[in-house]
Amino acid sequence: MQISPSFYDSLSIVEATSIQKRLRENLNISSLKKEIHIIGGADISLNRFSEVIYAGIVLLDYQTLTPIAYSLIKSKTTFPYVPGYLAFREIPALMMALDQLELKPDIIMVDGHGIAHPRRMGIAAHFGTLVSIPTMGCAKKKLYGKYEEPPLLKGAYATLRAKDELLGFVLRTKDKVSPVFVSPGNNMDFDECLQIAKHCMGKYRLLEPTRRAHEHVNLFRTGQLKEGFHYINQQTLF
DNA sequence: GCGACAG
DNA sequence: ATCTTGTCGC
């Protein structure tokens, strides 16, 4: 057997929904009270119409936002993309990428939503209930909730909410670009989520952890990087 | 019944 | 998500 069969692939949407409702009981949105030295960025890449998915987690030094190492895994998924159920499609592969890490990050930023989800179980929240590392989500588009457009200045933000419940934030990561949506996944609170997101803003629209993860899984899919765990050669100038 | 709808 | 040229704005 080349690829581990996934339990998630056998689920129906109805079954997936009940799993989300059950996992929601395990959510813990409270301060991580821990210093962050390494942050991980998680993302997946795939060819259209293919069941093969390329997953990756890139580790960055939190202070400098410099990539330190990365884990890449090629896997398969048959669970379809259905808004609200992204976790069932991507988590099995992300779990393999995490297991393969020889160095574990203090927190992980996942490409997708945390609790900014109809049942508060976006991929980052779901992943966070399955692993021992705090998680948060950063998505490029809204899935659930309402918000007012934040000012067009980098760093400006608005709250994302459902009824009166706070779900996350809509953050302008760069002047005059569409904002990103950040929300806690598990074992982190709202303020920390926002502070971390602001800390990770670079010169691009995407936050550095997810931007680097996206970059790496794409290089992997196109054959420019190899599967496995690799430290990044910190080349010294001169 | 009609929109909205992560990747 | 991925494909994909030119084009508009700063």
Side-chain angles (χ1 to χ4, degrees):
Chain A
M1 152 167 78
Q2 325 284 9
I3 296 167
S4 325
S6 171
F7 164 65
Y8 283 172
D9 284 337
S10 67
L11 300 175
S12 64
I13 293 298
V14 171
E15 294 170 320
T17 302
S18 83
I19 286 178
Q20 291 181 326
K21 290 178 176 174
R22 183 164 55 73
L23 288 179
R24 181 176 179 176
E25 306 302 307
N26 302 0
L27 272 183
N28 170 39
I29 306 302
S30 63
S31 175
L32 48 82
K33 293 187 174 65
K34 191 175 64 168
E35 216 172 90
I36 304 171
H37 296 294
I38 299 175
I39 183 170
D43 192 18
I44 64 103
S45 176
L46 46 79
N47 285 310
R48 201 148 76 139
F49 308 132
S50 172
E51 295 184 344
V52 178
I53 70 174
Y54 300 81
I57 294 180
V58 176
L59 266 33
L60 294 77
D61 172 79
Y62 192 64
Q63 278 310 314
T64 64
L65 296 181
T66 304
I68 297 169
Y70 58 88
S71 169
L72 299 172
I73 278 289
K74 182 179 176 180
S75 186
K76 271 191 160 191
T77 181
T78 57
F79 197 97
Y81 167 65
V82 180
Y85 299 87
L86 179 65
F88 296 90
R89 187 170 160 72
E90 306 190 350
I91 280 186
L94 288 183
M95 201 67 80
M96 295 170 74
L98 177 61
D99 286 341
Q100 189 177 241
L101 284 175
E102 292 177 15
L103 181 63
K104 307 296 184 190
D106 297 301
I107 62 167
I108 299 175
M109 182 184 289
V110 183
D111 187 7
H113 293 284
I115 61 172
H117 177 280
R119 291 167 294 285
R120 312 297 181 268
M121 264 298 142
I123 185 169
H126 189 140
F127 194 46
T129 61
L130 268 35
V131 302
S132 58
I133 299 173
T135 60
M136 64 177 279
C138 179
K140 296 176 287 299
K141 292 185 293 189
K142 186 192 77 170
L143 168 66
Y144 181 71
K146 295 189 172 306
Y147 66 96
E148 297 292 313
E149 199 65 30
L152 290 74
L153 239 57
K154 174 177 182 176
Y157 66 91
T159 57
L160 176 64
R161 34 182 96 242
K163 303 297 172 71
D164 279 337
E165 184 184 350
L166 180 61
L167 297 175
F169 307 92
V170 184
L171 175 67
R172 193 82 63 183
T173 53
K174 184 182 176 189
D175 288 359
K176 298 170 213 173
V177 297
S178 47
V180 296
F181 301 78
V182 297
S183 56
N186 197 23
N187 296 314
M188 134 172 358
D189 66 31
F190 287 99
D191 189 59
E192 288 165 339
C193 171
L194 178 60
Q195 298 317 316
I196 292 167
K198 294 189 70 168
H199 177 88
C200 292
M201 296 190 294
K203 41 188 304 192
Y204 301 90
R205 180 192 174 221
L206 297 186
L207 297 180
E208 285 303 294
T210 44
R211 185 180 76 82
R212 290 298 194 178
H214 190 265
E215 172 184 70
H216 282 67
V217 292
N218 271 317
L219 288 172
F220 177 34
R221 180 175 57 83
T222 55
Q224 301 168 73
L225 283 181
K226 300 183 306 179
E227 182 166 49
F229 176 76
H230 306 280
Y231 278 101
I232 293 174
N233 303 313
Q234 302 293 340
Q235 58 176 297
T236 35
L237 282 63
F238 296 64

